[in-house]
Amino acid sequence: LRTGFPEVIWGPGKTPDQIAQIMEAMRQRNSVVMATRIEPDVFATLETKVQGLRYYNLARICAITPPTIEPQYPGTIGILSAGTADLAVAEEAAVTAELSGFHVQRLWDVGVAGIHRLLNNRHVIESASVLIVVAGMEGALPSVVAGLADCPVVAVPTSIGYGASFGGLAPLLTMLNSCAAGVGVVNIDNGFGAAVLAGQIVRTAYKLRK
Amino acid sequence: LRTGFPEVIWGPGKTPDQIAQIMEAMRQRNSVVMATRIEPDVFATLETKVQGLRYYNLARICAITPPTIEPQYPGTIGILSAGTADLAVAEEAAVTAELSGFHVQRLWDVGVAGIHRLLNNRHVIESASVLIVVAGMEGALPSVVAGLADCPVVAVPTSIGYGASFGGLAPLLTMLNSCAAGVGVVNIDNGFGAAVLAGQIVRTAYKLRK
Amino acid sequence: LRTGFPEVIWGPGKTPDQIAQIMEAMRQRNSVVMATRIEPDVFATLETKVQGLRYYNLARICAITPPTIEPQYPGTIGILSAGTADLAVAEEAAVTAELSGFHVQRLWDVGVAGIHRLLNNRHVIESASVLIVVAGMEGALPSVVAGLADCPVVAVPTSIGYGASFGGLAPLLTMLNSCAAGVGVVNIDNGFGAAVLAGQIVRTAYKLRK
Amino acid sequence: LRTGFPEVIWGPGKTPDQIAQIMEAMRQRNSVVMATRIEPDVFATLETKVQGLRYYNLARICAITPPTIEPQYPGTIGILSAGTADLAVAEEAAVTAELSGFHVQRLWDVGVAGIHRLLNNRHVIESASVLIVVAGMEGALPSVVAGLADCPVVAVPTSIGYGASFGGLAPLLTMLNSCAAGVGVVNIDNGFGAAVLAGQIVRTAYKLRK
Amino acid sequence: LRTGFPEVIWGPGKTPDQIAQIMEAMRQRNSVVMATRIEPDVFATLETKVQGLRYYNLARICAITPPTIEPQYPGTIGILSAGTADLAVAEEAAVTAELSGFHVQRLWDVGVAGIHRLLNNRHVIESASVLIVVAGMEGALPSVVAGLADCPVVAVPTSIGYGASFGGLAPLLTMLNSCAAGVGVVNIDNGFGAAVLAGQIVRTAYKLRK
Amino acid sequence: LRTGFPEVIWGPGKTPDQIAQIMEAMRQRNSVVMATRIEPDVFATLETKVQGLRYYNLARICAITPPTIEPQYPGTIGILSAGTADLAVAEEAAVTAELSGFHVQRLWDVGVAGIHRLLNNRHVIESASVLIVVAGMEGALPSVVAGLADCPVVAVPTSIGYGASFGGLAPLLTMLNSCAAGVGVVNIDNGFGAAVLAGQIVRTAYKLRK
Amino acid sequence: LRTGFPEVIWGPGKTPDQIAQIMEAMRQRNSVVMATRIEPDVFATLETKVQGLRYYNLARICAITPPTIEPQYPGTIGILSAGTADLAVAEEAAVTAELSGFHVQRLWDVGVAGIHRLLNNRHVIESASVLIVVAGMEGALPSVVAGLADCPVVAVPTSIGYGASFGGLAPLLTMLNSCAAGVGVVNIDNGFGAAVLAGQIVRTAYKLRK
Amino acid sequence: LRTGFPEVIWGPGKTPDQIAQIMEAMRQRNSVVMATRIEPDVFATLETKVQGLRYYNLARICAITPPTIEPQYPGTIGILSAGTADLAVAEEAAVTAELSGFHVQRLWDVGVAGIHRLLNNRHVIESASVLIVVAGMEGALPSVVAGLADCPVVAVPTSIGYGASFGGLAPLLTMLNSCAAGVGVVNIDNGFGAAVLAGQIVRTAYKLRK
Ligand SMILES: Nc1ncnc2c1ncn2[C@@H]1O[C@H](COP(=O)(O)O)[C@@H](O)[C@H]1O
Ligand SMILES: Nc1ncnc2c1ncn2[C@@H]1O[C@H](COP(=O)(O)O)[C@@H](O)[C@H]1O
Ligand SMILES: Nc1ncnc2c1ncn2[C@@H]1O[C@H](COP(=O)(O)O)[C@@H](O)[C@H]1O
Ligand SMILES: Nc1ncnc2c1ncn2[C@@H]1O[C@H](COP(=O)(O)O)[C@@H](O)[C@H]1O
Ligand SMILES: [Mg+2]
Ligand SMILES: [Mg+2]
Ligand SMILES: [Mg+2]
Ligand SMILES: [Mg+2]
Ligand SMILES: [Mg+2]
Ligand SMILES: [Mg+2]
Ligand SMILES: [Mg+2]
Ligand SMILES: [Mg+2]
């Protein structure tokens, strides 16, 4: 039903053999097949079993893709992340969006404790059709961004942090309580889900415009 | 910054006098001014102080509006609610969306325990540009709807329930853990925020098409 | 006191030697002796120590059984699971029920995000005397099933999920707050307990009919 | 779909007028119509609006019923409660079961701190087809009862208690962690839901026997 | 032991008579005596009993003070609040600090969703010796401020919010997880405690310089 | 200050070398020196370093003791445990009490799901001066025992369980909410602390009698 | 079974009529009958219905007692409280203990923030046979006291506090994690239960000495 | 912006290669570069890659420093810890403060269960300009210290403990609820953050005095 999105396999709890098997089956009917949460050693085994597999190591995604992937929709999904440690989740969102045919613009390390780096890059916020904002620890970035942006914001809390972060509960609550309206929240570390939601938003635009 | 959206006052904790004063000030610069979470007795006092005030009693919203409000954007925001008790939150979303210039289609009482009533109304799901899905208790409706829909879903948990609902925590967690991708969650009972997010999504489409 | 049910050993925290010893002792007085939560490597050691041991690898159960096990009670326990990852818990329920002398019908991968797969298999729901419904992540399946079924539903939340699933807390709360009546909930991942409860329900019928 | 069960209205959050209206509508198609969580003052107003209304004050249920209600199914639903304060929930279960056509046997005040009172009434446990066990505070009663009983046990935690009871969370967790198998748990204070589940269990027997 | 700070009475749970009595006793030994969390109606009674009582209605503080209160320490305590609803807590901090002999500079309504209002008032941040930052809902303001400031920040979460704010838990966690170092957190709504901590910091400076 | 109790070392987080060193230092001034939470492999190293070390493997305690340890106080500390898995904690309590000079009577495996085994051993309850009751999972045993006993009960929740046990939170809450008075609760898995409290109780008797 | 302790009625949720009736029935068989959590207005009604009723207003206890109550056991129960707001719970413990025939010594307002007041009253700690320590907010007092005392300590957390106290959860956790051994914890605000446990401890001594 | 503080790298989740690379880059512009949470084995690799690296093993910090580090500010940061297990966090604070140019005085093992050791070292409390107080388990030390001190107190909860400590939640809540004013709390185990806050406080004094 996620017409237009690639088929996706959730990696954890599956053996390389199982993943390989599912990928082979899926490639019959899909031009893009991807698997998420794939650690480097799992990929090392996988690439001996599945032909033409590509690995996006920051995103921990591996995928079977056509030689080149061009954006199929208008507009841009802007993706912002607060800290370096949030990169894996932000890249999961970015690669998922790109593999799904969307144009992505990345802006990393714009956490709220250094607000000027964010403000100096306002053009990314202003030129996006939809924004994905990834943050762990206190999770304050989506509120600031939603205040600056005039487009929908998809907020992704991450489990990055320690102590009173309680595995991502702290940024999750922060984002749900955002005083800026126009923010939708997805599960902790769910970069994939954020990309699908953002993609749906762009596709809505695409369908409406026709 | 929420260009195009009406100015909004959050009612709780403000006296009728304070609300009246803020409304009068805002009406100078805005064609639509609204206040949310207004109980009937507060409205009774308010309407003696503010001229031309309209009350949407199910939504607990009062507003200063032009004589007629026409949709200013293409597309439809479909709003679904699970139980009768979720109505106040669903109407808060619906009235906010309408006052903001969007076309709304309501579908009440389609909780998952009677899945056929939902399936018999699939046209609402299929014709919407974006869906707002409101549910309390177990909060399962957005997952089912997102599985049927090919558009973004904004999920609103409500505090309707008792016991292990823990004030809306149960449906909130349900929605965050949705196995269907394409769902963004807002705060418990936040019908207003859901409408702004849905409106932003439609406006994105509107801007992109130009 | 669980007359008619096999003796059961809870595997975790016990050495293969301890499990073997308890099994040997129990087999004196019972035709069926089973141990749950047995990983493959534990079984590998166990089968060198206990004669005639059978391993149900999906269910992680090993058992001493008579050569064939025939249903001893009328009716059917229907067992449904939402996702592939819930399989281990669902099979723990299924194998426990079968080893206890009940007839079981399995229906896997009928999560609510793809409601039509569930509806296309309604005959399983309609022909069961009691249903066990296993789901992780948002845990919405029991509510939908209980709305369709006219028999008791035993709901089993699983720890499958991540982030705001909080180790199974999310589906547990979902199931406790089910808006459909006729649902009894057991502990997270407790496939065994669900089977015993479902078995008790069928046995009640059996006793009453006499 | 709850064929054979009466139509039920959840009282809280509805005005007497709304309840009266729904009752009148429902009585067209049902021989028994009931409303739960009805406080005495709400009933006082209701009985001036709805003819032939009966009030079960301990259960806080009001109902339209035929002159006499005879059990329509074989077997007995035994209902046990731990403390006097749990009575309202236990009676909600008992009256719901009786209005649904089941035979009920009550056993009040058999909390585990006075285990002999329970043991002196073992005949209630032994003669029941299914048991509903209601307890607040530490919620230990269902475990003891399930150890004594050879039939399904429906456990109902109540919000009775204070401090570390956290609104019924303590007995809820107790019941979910019961070391005795054969226990299904419903939501805090959900006497009604327990009765429907117990009723479904007896009806299963009834259907199987035919 | 809080040498130099006024004696303080915690109002809630005390009758006006009790408060009056304690105030009269304290004024023997102290030039400033204050009571916090005093609602207007309590003050109305109090002022008939205690002579020379002053009421700070926004702060809900009443106090016996000398005719004029001059700052006794160098430096400035800057106090920022995010939303209008946080005002009561922010004023509790401000009035406590002033009554304790510190110079205070207020900056209200500089929530992160409108970051430019904050940036346009950077001089307040830059000229302060210590900052108290008060915020409810998502509680993100202290992180942004601490990133801009080169002085200690005392963060005060408030119970302002609803739903997933859980009575102030959300902003509390946000502040504890601040990615900007140099932030100390006090209890939810504890404007008084924040002022004492900020005052201690200024006094440390005062003592060291001598 | 714990006059009469042995010196104790908390093992976790210490290297065998560190433990050995502390033990050697302590043996100068104490006839009994003990270390808790010592796994077998840690003991294997320890016994090569500390002379005359004894290992209580079920209790995971190792100790330097005089050749024989005789009870030095009147009365008996009865120790009961619910399940086999609770044994380690119960033995930690038992060995600590014995090494501290108290007479101990053990009663294992008397969980509430098999109430008759408990009742058949009532003499243990009746002859004790103080009881330590150890239970995981639902933690119901102390309530039942306190109802039968006419002496103080020290309740020890254990982390034995899974799912909704939440690491021992469930039995902890159960015990705190006990409807039987005369129960004092210690931390999860704190067999040692329970023994010290029980010992203090017996010593109080001893001191008073003199 | 609590031989020697008075019969007790838990007041909340009972009408004055119900309380009066139970008291009259209980006075037939008991020389002391008491009811807890009785607000002044409830007592005002009660004393018109029950003859010879005494009210302990700080403790919110009313009781039927013999003309004089003399201690019937040796030793002293020392009762300490941290703040004035904890008085009601501390007095509930004190009055319960006195009505049960124990000698009580009170020491109020010795919170840890003013450690010298506690140290100046060490004789109370040193002369007690058992100590009850009542504290809200951070609940640190029992740890300090247990470090000074050589007798059992019963710790009572109170719901006094706000914000991150979460209704007494904070002091409850503090007390359970006490680094001083010899502390048993009862439910939040459970002064009554603390007195029964302390009384059981003294009675144990009494029985052992005989 | 933390002018005057060394550049810091958060070690967890970074490979030795990444840490080495960042350190080399940072040393160009900073006289002190430090990395926290560095386990001994990581340091072993690091020192082969980065020249002139120093390891503070108790603090798990490694740093590039000038040959000698002299205090650059007046006053003293007193650092107290409750138990030996809290040492790592306390040393993280101490080494961070020293590397940042502050004078530090350490006082270890002064937990509240042995209050006299603390009182015998009051000179440390009295001579400090600011205090950092580190405690796990029940976390009571900051309250006692703040009552004795007339300077700001930075409280650091640690994750040391077990059971109902819930990973440091217990001491965190204790510290937030401190009845002594003048306490600011940082995240669980955040020795680094405490040092930066304490440093900011001393620097404020330094700036104000000029
Ligand atoms: N990284 C991810 N985060 C969240 N959901 C995912 C992720 N990757 C895959 N999924 C979901 O998991 C489903 C596949 O699960 P499975 O059948 O177990 O491989 C997909 O349809 C996605 O909806
Ligand atoms: N998979 C399971 N889930 C829940 N409870 C179980 C499971 N397997 C065994 N048990 C219970 O654990 C008891 C045996 O525990 P043990 O004596 O430790 O082997 C049985 O009587 C069952 O009630
Ligand atoms: N203040 C109190 N705190 C805790 N438990 C109490 C209190 N007062 C009475 N109880 C308990 O409640 C029981 C009486 O409850 P009830 O039968 O509802 O009046 C007594 O036996 C006591 O165990
Ligand atoms: N031990 C620590 N505890 C808390 N925060 C730290 C610690 N060490 C470093 N940090 C913070 O982490 C930031 C560096 O993170 P990174 O860029 O991932 O190395 C620093 O600027 C500090 O604010
Ligand atoms: Mg915006
Ligand atoms: Mg969809
Ligand atoms: Mg049904
Ligand atoms: Mg049973
Ligand atoms: Mg700063
Ligand atoms: Mg007893
Ligand atoms: Mg002691
Ligand atoms: Mg102080």
Side-chain angles (χ1 to χ4, degrees), chain A residues 1 3 75 129 147-148 150-152 172 176-177 181-187 196-197 200-201 203-205 207-209, chain B residues 1 3 75 129 147-148 150-152 172 176-177 181-187 196-197 200-201 203-205 207-209:
Chain A
L1 235 168
T3 338
S129 309
L148 295 168
D150 188 31
C151 73
L172 172 62
L176 287 166
N177 285 284
V183 179
V185 185
V186 299
N187 197 359
V196 173
L197 176 54
Q200 287 279 25
I201 291 173
R203 273 163 38 93
T204 291
K207 285 188 287 182
L208 270 181
R209 92 195 303 199
Chain B
L1 235 168
T3 338
S129 309
L148 296 169
D150 188 29
C151 73
L172 171 63
L176 287 166
N177 285 285
V183 179
V185 184
V186 298
N187 197 359
V196 172
L197 177 54
Q200 286 280 27
I201 292 172
R203 273 162 39 93
T204 291
K207 286 189 287 183
L208 270 181
R209 91 190 311 193

Side-chain angles (χ1 to χ4, degrees), chain B residues 113, chain C residues 142-153 180-183, chain D residues 1-3 196 200:
Chain C
S143 290
V144 176
V145 170
L148 295 168
D150 187 30
C151 72
V153 171
V183 179
Chain D
L1 234 169
R2 285 195 306 264
T3 338
V196 172
Q200 287 279 26

Side-chain angles (χ1 to χ4, degrees), chain C residues 64-147:
Chain C
I64 302 168
T65 64
T68 59
I69 304 180
E70 295 297 328
Q72 297 162 45
Y73 301 96
T76 295
I77 298 177
I79 309 188
L80 284 65
S81 72
T84 25
D86 302 316
L87 205 65
V89 175
E91 275 290 337
E92 185 182 286
V95 172
T96 299
E98 287 172 340
L99 292 177
S100 305
F102 299 96
H103 181 246
V104 166
Q105 180 158 19
R106 289 160 171 85
L107 179 57
W108 290 176
D109 267 309
V110 286
V112 298
I115 200 76
H116 288 295
R117 208 174 119 61
L118 178 69
L119 296 173
N120 292 342
N121 287 281
R122 284 195 56 164
H123 56 95
V124 177
I125 294 174
E126 278 153 12
S127 62
S129 309
V130 54
L131 288 159
I132 293 174
V133 185
V134 180
M137 301 187 73
E138 86 267 70
L141 188 57
S143 290
V144 176
V145 170

Side-chain angles (χ1 to χ4, degrees), chain B residues 130-156:
Chain B
V130 54
L131 288 159
I132 294 173
V133 185
V134 180
M137 301 187 74
E138 85 268 69
L141 188 58
S143 291
V144 176
V145 170
L148 296 169
D150 188 29
C151 73
V153 171
V154 178
V156 192

Side-chain angles (χ1 to χ4, degrees), chain C residues 49 52 54-55 72 145 170 178 189 196 210:
Chain C
K49 295 174 193 278
R54 219 145 128 177
Y55 190 53
Q72 297 162 45
V145 170
S178 179
D189 290 337
V196 172
K210 279 188 291 206

Side-chain angles (χ1 to χ4, degrees), chain F residues 7-209:
Chain F
E7 283 288 334
V8 184
I9 299 154
W10 169 254
K14 300 205 175 71
T15 64
D17 264 338
Q18 290 174 312
I19 298 172
Q21 223 171 318
I22 308 176
M23 284 197 131
E24 291 297 354
M26 282 179 170
R27 86 185 323 164
Q28 309 309 322
R29 303 179 314 271
N30 299 276
S31 60
V32 180
V33 173
M34 56 183 272
T36 61
R37 311 282 166 103
I38 303 296
E39 298 303 326
D41 58 322
V42 175
F43 173 70
T45 313
L46 266 179
E47 71 175 332
T48 67
K49 293 173 194 278
V50 181
Q51 223 185 332
L53 207 58
R54 220 145 126 177
Y55 190 51
Y56 302 81
N57 68 310
L58 290 176
R60 292 165 309 166
I61 285 175
C62 70
I64 302 168
T65 64
T68 59
I69 304 180
E70 296 297 328
Q72 297 164 46
Y73 301 96
T76 295
I77 299 177
I79 309 187
L80 283 66
S81 73
T84 23
D86 303 315
L87 204 64
V89 175
E91 276 290 338
E92 185 182 287
V95 172
T96 299
E98 286 172 341
L99 291 177
S100 305
F102 299 96
H103 182 246
V104 166
Q105 181 159 17
R106 289 161 170 86
L107 180 55
W108 291 175
D109 267 309
V110 285
V112 298
I115 200 76
H116 287 295
R117 208 174 119 61
L118 178 68
L119 295 173
N120 293 341
N121 287 281
R122 284 194 58 163
H123 56 95
V124 177
I125 295 174
E126 277 153 13
S127 61
S129 308
V130 53
L131 288 159
I132 293 174
V133 185
V134 180
M137 302 187 73
E138 84 267 72
L141 189 57
S143 290
V144 176
V145 170
L148 295 169
D150 187 30
C151 73
V153 171
V154 179
V156 192
T158 75
S159 56
I160 296 304
Y162 65 94
S165 154
F166 297 121
L169 178 65
L172 172 62
L173 293 183
T174 306
M175 293 173 187
L176 287 166
N177 285 286
S178 180
C179 55
V183 179
V185 184
V186 299
N187 197 357
I188 298 163
D189 290 337
N190 193 2
F192 167 76
V196 173
L197 177 53
Q200 286 280 27
I201 292 172
V202 170
R203 271 162 42 91
T204 291
Y206 186 69
K207 285 189 287 183
L208 270 182
R209 91 192 309 194

